[in-house]
Amino acid sequence: MSQLFEQLVPYLEKHMALQTALALLDWDDATLAPKEAGEYTAKVIGILSEEDFLCLTNPQVKKILEDYESKTEETKEQEETEQAIIRKIKKNLRKTEAIPKEEKRAYAELKSKSQKAWQRAKKENDFSIFAPYLKEVIAYCKKFASYGATEKLNGYDVLLDDYEEDFSVEVLDVFFEKLKAGILPLLRKIQKKPQIEDSFLYQKYDIEKQKEFNRFLAEYIGFDLNRGVIAESEHPFTTAWHNHDVRITTHYYEENLAGAIFSTIHESGHAIYEQGIADRYTQTVLGEGASCGIHESQSRLMENMIGRSRAFWVPIYGKLVETFPEQLGEVSLDQFVAAINRVRADEIRTEADELTYCLHIMVRYELEKLMINGEVEVEELSRLWKEKYQEYLGVVPENDTVGILQDVHWSMGDIGYFPSYALGNAFAAQIYAKMKSEIDVEAELSKGNIGAVREFLHRYVHQYGAFKEAREILKEATGEEFNPDYFVGYLTEKYEKLYGIS
Amino acid sequence: MSQLFEQLVPYLEKHMALQTALALLDWDDATLAPKEAGEYTAKVIGILSEEDFLCLTNPQVKKILEDYESKTEETKEQEETEQAIIRKIKKNLRKTEAIPKEEKRAYAELKSKSQKAWQRAKKENDFSIFAPYLKEVIAYCKKFASYGATEKLNGYDVLLDDYEEDFSVEVLDVFFEKLKAGILPLLRKIQKKPQIEDSFLYQKYDIEKQKEFNRFLAEYIGFDLNRGVIAESEHPFTTAWHNHDVRITTHYYEENLAGAIFSTIHESGHAIYEQGIADRYTQTVLGEGASCGIHESQSRLMENMIGRSRAFWVPIYGKLVETFPEQLGEVSLDQFVAAINRVRADEIRTEADELTYCLHIMVRYELEKLMINGEVEVEELSRLWKEKYQEYLGVVPENDTVGILQDVHWSMGDIGYFPSYALGNAFAAQIYAKMKSEIDVEAELSKGNIGAVREFLHRYVHQYGAFKEAREILKEATGEEFNPDYFVGYLTEKYEKLYGIS
């Protein structure tokens, strides 16, 4: 370790410890905390967040970073890890400091109110309750975007960059155009075909038995429960304190077998990424995913490319039937695999199938661009939402609760986040194509060796955490830059085959 | 708020937030954290603890405390709460600073190793594995006692004072002598009587049904689950972040109905104390129990005086029978109440009945005195333990695992803690006597109005948190100083009646 870096360590450790405590408070709130605790616990969260802010923006930290910069040439033999940490910290610092403290506090208050308004609006199916808050959130996002603007980036690009570096409107426009051109005609054809029978997935499935099977599934995928936890929450998610404590939640529905199964596979995809991060990066700022999109690629690849494939179920479908003999005794493996891949253009993003998922994202992406560019009034959003759903998915949401009010993101100020979900799918397809060129995935899965998949991902993605940047990881794993054609090709091939389209 | 106090607030808030985070990490570790997380999470705990230490010992804090002292006369109209906080902080600071930082760190490491050695020693039934660590722990405790010594206090008294202020060896010797004189002859008489039938408590009791009943029980006692959580852990305990988030754990045994029931009542007793602390004290240093002994008095009063009384079960025994008709259908209320009060002099403290419990504590108290006064070699402790168990309880532990190795406390450095358990019982009896003089407890319980008991406790104890000191609370609640005769009288009356001794 260089002497200069050593001076930085206490700050880095404090930052890590506070981040861990904050993550635990979040986890606890989502899984266990009593209903009325929120207001009091918020005070604790506020104080620890402020402490973290002060730690990162300490003048001493800045001085070390500056000195490090100027001394780099002299001592070029700095460790690579050290340099990656410095790079990451500088970026965090830049983003943290871009916004004046008072505005940050006012914005935090707004977001808290805005989320409550959103909840009420969704419950009462009344967009007008949420609209004034959304207007303010947008105004803040625009202002923050202007603070973070550089020669290269401005407006919506700045927000996008927060979640997925290097993926600007220019890249995303091309990406979504390709998706639109590939998916829309395919979806129209599928909609004219006979529907796949999947009603057996919606019988009554005992929750205790579901839990048992999902636990098996998580471990089968490679989620190490000596270093991990499975719990329940309203919306499934993954969180981690370090590579030896990674937690996922899932949500069980008594009358929907696939819901929990694919949440579990998805979150386990995130979890093995977190568990796979090398010891030398864990508990440093590099001990996290390379980007939102890369993280999502790992969960999506596991959920869709692997978890919905026939080969994945060959060795374990028998166990599922054994667990639910009454419900699945008469259902063949092929019927089951067809059912879990059924396309159903519907109004809810989180319930979308693999093919239509990105169309949901596209609606949000297009509306976000309009919002941040000031090309739409908040009052028009509900109407536009419905029009775009009609255009892309061929359904009109019955009301705003299942329409524009369905997602929490905007109420939390997460404008620019949605595209990483779609990018995750595309990254996954690109990585999967490379994987198939190196491994006979179908053969390995069929014989129960999912370890082959995991090892590939570990080699090219997991171990590095945030040591490498998203673009670098993608390039090294696949040998080329981001290329959305893989995703379009993958979807086309898969769904033409499933629905007998030629 | 005085201007001076206002300067202290940021430090107090940070201290509170860090303490909350540390409590959550502890809770999580006991209930949910994965097996292999410990070593990594310990790092987080270490950093946050250090941060808390630095916060409390900040020179600025000391300066404010000094200034506050010197200015008190000028502005005597300081708020009472403010003064209580200052008093508490000064005490915490004195205790925190008494020990040099390097020794504190070395001691923390020793305790961590010592606990591991204790676990192994207990598992392998080999005291010699633990003995060298215990020797070192004792040496540290002696040294720390010497640092904390004052004109009034020295040696073991300093350690006792950490857990129960004002309860020195002088007071405790009298207390335990009275207990010995009261309990031992009574126990001998009981041991000659026919044993109470209680085998029905040890049938097979479905754990899911137990959970349901215990949840009902906790709420019946007054534990508000909108501001609280019930979970499971190896050893039951209570923890709280503030009065709106209080958590208890219990432990279920399939073949022991009473185990979980009395853990739940006990912990709910602690929990309603924490939930009852007034809003103006919660999230300050006053937002906790007045002392270990007072806290224990609230759990013990609920568990024993209330929870093992016939009147308590009159309105709810029917529900228990309904939950377990096969096991309890033929068992009358009186049989049940007799069974849960059966005296069984045995070797394990945590399974002890109400009468013999304090004898277990007495053994530990006497050995601790010898250890800290340097009047015994660690090697002799196992033998002495057995002799004292023979003398007081009339049983000789079969081996060290169920003998001197049964408790975790000494391995954690908690020497001086055990007496507060016994004091808690005695405080409880004294408070209960006063309660009975004000309320017809039996009548209220019989008609299901346990709220009357809770309100009494809230009025005299709960609401104050640590705003008043233990002795003050006891005096105001009962009108007199600590008086162990109530406890001896209570036990004598109860058990003579139960066993038909005159």
Side-chain angles (χ1 to χ4, degrees):
Chain A
M1 211 186 316
S2 72
Q3 253 187 322
L4 211 45
F5 189 79
E6 215 163 314
Q7 293 171 30
L8 198 59
V9 168
Y11 299 97
L12 294 175
E13 292 201 327
K14 186 172 160 185
H15 174 55
M16 176 279 291
L18 288 167
Q19 285 290 324
T20 305
L22 286 164
L24 177 52
L25 281 157
D26 256 359
W27 157 272
D28 185 73
D29 182 55
T31 54
L32 191 70
K35 214 165 64 179
E36 294 180 18
E39 198 188 314
Y40 290 75
T41 305
K43 193 172 166 182
V44 174
I45 293 171
I47 295 165
L48 296 179
S49 303
E50 172 96 13
E51 199 53 38
D52 188 34
F53 173 82
L54 292 174
C55 169
L56 206 58
T57 56
N58 189 301
Q60 193 58 28
V61 170
K62 283 187 225 170
K63 194 174 169 309
I64 299 167
L65 292 177
E66 276 162 28
D67 290 356
Y68 196 91
E69 190 90 345
S70 62
K71 282 181 189 149
T72 303
E73 281 174 54
E74 292 167 41
T75 60
K76 36 183 157 117
E77 280 310 308
Q78 311 284 20
E79 255 189 89
E80 275 186 307
T81 306
E82 202 174 299
Q83 283 176 5
I85 290 174
I86 295 276
R87 170 176 52 75
K88 189 89 194 274
I89 279 289
K90 281 168 90 168
K91 191 174 144 191
N92 291 358
L93 190 59
R94 204 180 64 235
K95 295 214 182 265
T96 302
E97 286 204 312
I99 301 161
K101 213 169 134 185
E102 299 65 41
E103 288 184 23
K104 198 176 279 180
R105 189 168 300 164
Y107 185 51
E109 269 176 43
L110 168 65
K111 285 195 290 183
S112 159
K113 284 182 199 155
S114 154
Q115 273 181 70
K116 281 189 191 115
W118 167 75
Q119 276 167 359
R120 203 154 61 84
K122 184 172 180 179
K123 201 172 159 196
E124 297 178 16
N125 180 30
D126 183 354
F127 181 63
S128 76
I129 297 173
F130 176 51
Y133 293 93
L134 180 55
K135 203 175 279 184
E136 277 196 72
V137 165
I138 295 170
Y140 267 105
C141 285
K142 283 165 86 164
K143 193 166 17 164
F144 295 164
S146 76
Y147 294 154
T150 62
E151 256 177 63
K152 267 171 58 195
L153 296 180
N154 61 70
Y156 188 42
D157 278 349
V158 179
L159 303 180
L160 289 170
D161 192 68
D162 271 353
Y163 304 103
E164 205 60 41
E165 217 169 342
D166 299 328
F167 286 83
S168 58
V169 168
E170 199 186 331
V171 181
L172 287 174
D173 278 352
V174 173
F175 170 47
F176 283 115
E177 272 315 309
K178 285 199 174 183
L179 280 185
K180 210 188 285 188
I183 296 175
L184 287 189
L186 184 55
L187 180 60
R188 299 295 166 262
K189 285 182 205 160
I190 288 172
Q191 283 170 330
K192 283 182 201 133
K193 289 276 175 178
Q195 292 306 302
I196 292 170
E197 157 63 14
D198 67 351
S199 62
F200 55 83
L201 293 175
Y202 302 94
Q203 301 169 82
K204 204 168 165 183
Y205 287 91
D206 178 71
I207 289 199
E208 285 307 314
K209 285 189 184 164
Q210 283 197 54
K211 281 188 194 173
E212 206 181 292
F213 184 78
N214 276 279
R215 202 180 161 82
F216 155 77
L217 204 51
E219 289 196 286
Y220 180 76
I221 286 163
F223 184 29
D224 177 357
L225 290 178
N226 286 322
R227 301 188 286 134
V229 166
I230 307 177
E232 287 168 64
S233 65
E234 182 59 29
H235 302 285
F237 68 99
T238 299
T239 185
W241 324 157
H242 42 67
N243 63 5
H244 281 64
D245 194 339
V246 178
R247 303 180 177 199
I248 70 168
T249 67
T250 189
H251 191 102
Y252 299 99
Y253 300 90
E254 203 170 17
E255 302 196 347
N256 176 356
L257 176 66
I261 285 182
F262 289 99
S263 286
T264 299
I265 303 180
H266 180 98
E267 303 306 333
S268 296
H270 283 304
I272 62 173
Y273 187 0
E274 292 284 343
Q275 288 191 330
I277 294 173
D279 255 0
R280 66 185 169 284
Y281 305 133
T282 201
Q283 294 194 307
T284 77
V285 288
L286 305 179
E288 59 178 32
S291 73
C292 297
I294 293 288
H295 228 309
E296 197 65 13
S297 77
Q298 299 307 293
S299 55
R300 282 286 170 175
L301 191 151
M302 205 49 95
E303 176 191 352
N304 292 330
M305 283 87 188
I306 304 297
R308 294 186 201 268
S309 73
R310 188 180 188 283
F312 175 78
W313 286 99
V314 165
I316 63 173
Y317 182 60
K319 189 177 165 75
L320 185 61
V321 175
E322 254 171 54
T323 311
F324 297 109
E326 278 175 45
Q327 296 91 330
L328 298 177
E330 304 293 309
V331 178
S332 73
L333 172 61
D334 287 316
Q335 284 173 309
F336 177 76
V337 172
I340 58 177
N341 284 292
R342 174 180 166 151
V343 172
R344 189 183 260 124
D346 216 338
E347 57 209 356
I348 304 291
R349 175 183 62 86
T350 55
E351 294 167 12
D353 57 79
E354 195 181 354
L355 182 70
T356 59
Y357 187 85
C358 288
L359 301 178
H360 292 263
I361 299 302
M362 209 154 69
V363 171
R364 289 152 178 82
Y365 170 68
E366 292 180 1
L367 293 182
E368 285 185 354
K369 271 202 297 185
L370 294 174
M371 287 185 226
I372 301 300
N373 295 338
E375 292 165 359
V376 68
E377 292 300 320
V378 166
E379 290 69 23
E380 299 170 72
L381 284 173
S382 163
R383 181 182 50 77
L384 275 177
W385 182 282
K386 285 175 190 147
E387 285 174 15
K388 286 186 184 292
Y389 262 79
Q390 172 64 56
E391 184 188 347
Y392 298 149
L393 287 121
V395 291
V396 179
E398 202 181 320
N399 56 49
D400 287 337
T401 296
V402 295
I404 192 165
L405 291 171
Q406 69 181 266
D407 296 308
V408 70
H409 302 61
W410 290 345
S411 77
M412 294 168 70
D414 288 341
I415 296 180
Y417 190 105
F418 282 120
S420 6
Y421 289 139
L423 285 173
N425 285 325
F427 294 167
Q430 187 170 335
I431 293 168
Y432 182 59
K434 183 66 191 310
M435 187 192 291
K436 285 205 299 184
S437 77
E438 288 195 12
I439 310 169
D440 186 344
V441 176
E442 214 174 301
E444 296 297 344
L445 287 180
S446 296
K447 63 186 185 208
N449 182 25
I450 191 170
V453 168
R454 210 170 49 240
E455 279 153 26
F456 180 93
L457 296 174
H458 185 261
R459 187 158 70 246
Y460 289 111
V461 185
H462 298 178
Q463 61 167 319
Y464 297 114
F467 172 67
K468 297 184 179 178
E469 291 181 331
R471 260 204 137 118
E472 205 181 340
I473 284 188
L474 196 63
K475 177 101 189 260
E476 290 184 11
T478 68
E480 59 180 307
E481 298 290 343
F482 173 56
N483 181 349
D485 293 340
Y486 287 104
F487 186 42
V488 177
Y490 160 80
L491 289 175
T492 308
E493 189 189 331
K494 171 170 177 171
Y495 286 98
E496 284 188 350
K497 190 174 160 204
L498 183 68
Y499 280 88
I501 296 165
S502 54
Chain B
M1 212 185 315
S2 72
Q3 254 187 322
L4 211 45
F5 188 81
E6 215 162 314
Q7 293 170 30
L8 198 58
V9 168
Y11 299 97
L12 294 174
E13 293 202 323
K14 187 172 159 185
H15 174 56
M16 177 279 292
L18 288 167
Q19 285 290 325
T20 305
L22 286 164
L24 177 53
L25 282 157
D26 257 359
W27 157 272
D28 185 72
D29 182 54
T31 54
L32 190 69
K35 216 164 63 181
E36 294 180 20
E39 198 187 316
Y40 290 76
T41 305
K43 193 171 167 184
V44 175
I45 292 172
I47 294 165
L48 296 179
S49 303
E50 172 96 12
E51 199 53 38
D52 188 32
F53 173 83
L54 292 174
C55 169
L56 207 58
T57 57
N58 188 301
Q60 192 58 27
V61 170
K62 285 188 222 171
K63 193 172 170 311
I64 299 168
L65 292 177
E66 276 163 29
D67 290 354
Y68 195 90
E69 190 90 345
S70 62
K71 282 184 188 146
T72 303
E73 282 174 52
E74 291 168 44
T75 60
K76 36 183 154 87
E77 280 308 311
Q78 310 285 20
E79 253 192 273
E80 275 184 306
T81 305
E82 199 174 300
Q83 283 176 7
I85 290 173
I86 294 277
R87 170 175 54 73
K88 188 88 194 271
I89 279 289
K90 281 168 88 169
K91 193 175 142 189
N92 290 358
L93 190 59
R94 207 183 59 235
K95 296 213 182 267
T96 302
E97 286 205 311
I99 301 161
K101 211 168 135 184
E102 299 66 37
E103 290 184 22
K104 199 174 279 180
R105 190 168 299 164
Y107 184 52
E109 267 176 45
L110 168 65
K111 286 196 290 182
S112 160
K113 283 182 199 154
S114 156
Q115 276 181 70
K116 280 189 193 115
W118 167 75
Q119 277 167 358
R120 202 154 61 84
K122 183 172 179 178
K123 201 172 160 195
E124 297 178 17
N125 181 30
D126 183 353
F127 181 64
S128 75
I129 296 172
F130 176 51
Y133 293 94
L134 180 56
K135 204 174 279 184
E136 278 195 72
V137 165
I138 294 170
Y140 267 106
C141 285
K142 282 165 85 165
K143 194 165 15 160
F144 295 165
S146 76
Y147 294 154
T150 63
E151 258 177 61
K152 267 171 60 194
L153 295 180
N154 61 69
Y156 188 40
D157 278 349
V158 179
L159 303 180
L160 289 170
D161 193 69
D162 271 353
Y163 303 105
E164 206 61 40
E165 215 171 340
D166 299 328
F167 286 83
S168 59
V169 168
E170 200 186 331
V171 180
L172 287 174
D173 278 351
V174 173
F175 170 48
F176 282 115
E177 272 315 309
K178 287 200 173 185
L179 279 185
K180 210 189 283 188
I183 297 175
L184 287 188
L186 184 57
L187 180 60
R188 299 293 168 265
K189 285 181 204 160
I190 289 172
Q191 283 171 329
K192 283 182 200 131
K193 289 278 178 177
Q195 292 306 300
I196 292 171
E197 157 62 16
D198 67 349
S199 62
F200 56 82
L201 294 174
Y202 303 94
Q203 302 170 78
K204 203 166 166 186
Y205 287 92
D206 178 71
I207 290 200
E208 285 307 313
K209 284 187 184 166
Q210 283 196 55
K211 280 188 197 175
E212 206 181 292
F213 185 78
N214 276 279
R215 202 180 161 83
F216 156 77
L217 204 52
E219 289 197 285
Y220 181 75
I221 285 163
F223 184 30
D224 177 358
L225 290 178
N226 286 322
R227 300 187 287 132
V229 166
I230 306 177
E232 288 169 61
S233 65
E234 183 60 30
H235 303 285
F237 68 99
T238 299
T239 185
W241 324 154
H242 44 65
N243 63 4
H244 281 62
D245 193 339
V246 178
R247 304 181 178 199
I248 71 169
T249 68
T250 191
H251 191 103
Y252 299 97
Y253 301 91
E254 201 170 18
E255 301 196 347
N256 176 356
L257 176 65
I261 285 181
F262 290 99
S263 286
T264 299
I265 303 180
H266 180 99
E267 303 306 334
S268 296
H270 283 304
I272 61 172
Y273 188 0
E274 292 283 345
Q275 287 191 331
I277 294 174
D279 255 359
R280 66 184 169 284
Y281 305 133
T282 201
Q283 295 193 308
T284 77
V285 287
L286 306 178
E288 59 180 32
S291 74
C292 297
I294 293 288
H295 228 309
E296 198 66 12
S297 77
Q298 299 307 292
S299 55
R300 282 285 170 175
L301 192 149
M302 205 49 94
E303 176 190 352
N304 292 330
M305 284 88 190
I306 305 298
R308 294 187 201 268
S309 73
R310 187 181 189 282
F312 175 78
W313 288 99
V314 165
I316 63 172
Y317 182 60
K319 190 180 166 72
L320 184 61
V321 175
E322 252 172 54
T323 311
F324 298 109
E326 278 174 44
Q327 296 90 331
L328 298 176
E330 303 293 311
V331 179
S332 73
L333 172 61
D334 287 316
Q335 285 172 309
F336 176 75
V337 173
I340 58 175
N341 284 292
R342 172 178 170 152
V343 172
R344 188 182 261 124
D346 218 337
E347 57 209 355
I348 304 291
R349 176 183 63 85
T350 55
E351 293 167 12
D353 57 77
E354 195 181 355
L355 182 69
T356 58
Y357 186 84
C358 287
L359 301 176
H360 292 266
I361 299 301
M362 210 153 68
V363 171
R364 289 152 178 80
Y365 171 66
E366 292 178 2
L367 293 181
E368 286 185 354
K369 272 203 295 185
L370 293 174
M371 288 185 224
I372 300 301
N373 296 338
E375 291 165 2
V376 68
E377 292 299 321
V378 165
E379 289 71 23
E380 299 170 73
L381 284 173
S382 163
R383 181 181 51 76
L384 275 176
W385 182 282
K386 286 177 188 141
E387 286 174 13
K388 286 187 185 289
Y389 262 79
Q390 172 64 56
E391 185 187 348
Y392 298 149
L393 287 120
V395 291
V396 178
E398 203 181 318
N399 56 48
D400 286 337
T401 296
V402 294
I404 192 165
L405 291 170
Q406 69 182 266
D407 296 310
V408 70
H409 301 62
W410 291 344
S411 76
M412 293 168 70
D414 288 341
I415 296 181
Y417 189 103
F418 282 120
S420 4
Y421 289 139
L423 285 173
N425 286 325
F427 295 167
Q430 186 169 335
I431 293 167
Y432 182 58
K434 184 65 193 311
M435 186 193 291
K436 285 208 296 185
S437 76
E438 288 194 13
I439 309 169
D440 186 344
V441 176
E442 214 175 301
E444 297 295 345
L445 288 180
S446 296
K447 61 185 187 211
N449 182 24
I450 192 170
V453 168
R454 209 169 51 237
E455 279 154 24
F456 180 94
L457 297 174
H458 185 260
R459 189 160 68 247
Y460 289 111
V461 185
H462 298 177
Q463 60 169 318
Y464 298 114
F467 171 68
K468 296 185 181 181
E469 290 180 334
R471 258 204 139 121
E472 203 180 342
I473 284 186
L474 196 63
K475 178 100 188 262
E476 289 184 11
T478 68
E480 59 180 308
E481 297 290 344
F482 174 56
N483 181 349
D485 293 340
Y486 286 104
F487 186 41
V488 177
Y490 161 80
L491 289 175
T492 309
E493 188 189 330
K494 170 168 178 172
Y495 286 98
E496 283 188 351
K497 191 174 160 203
L498 183 67
Y499 279 90
I501 295 165
S502 54

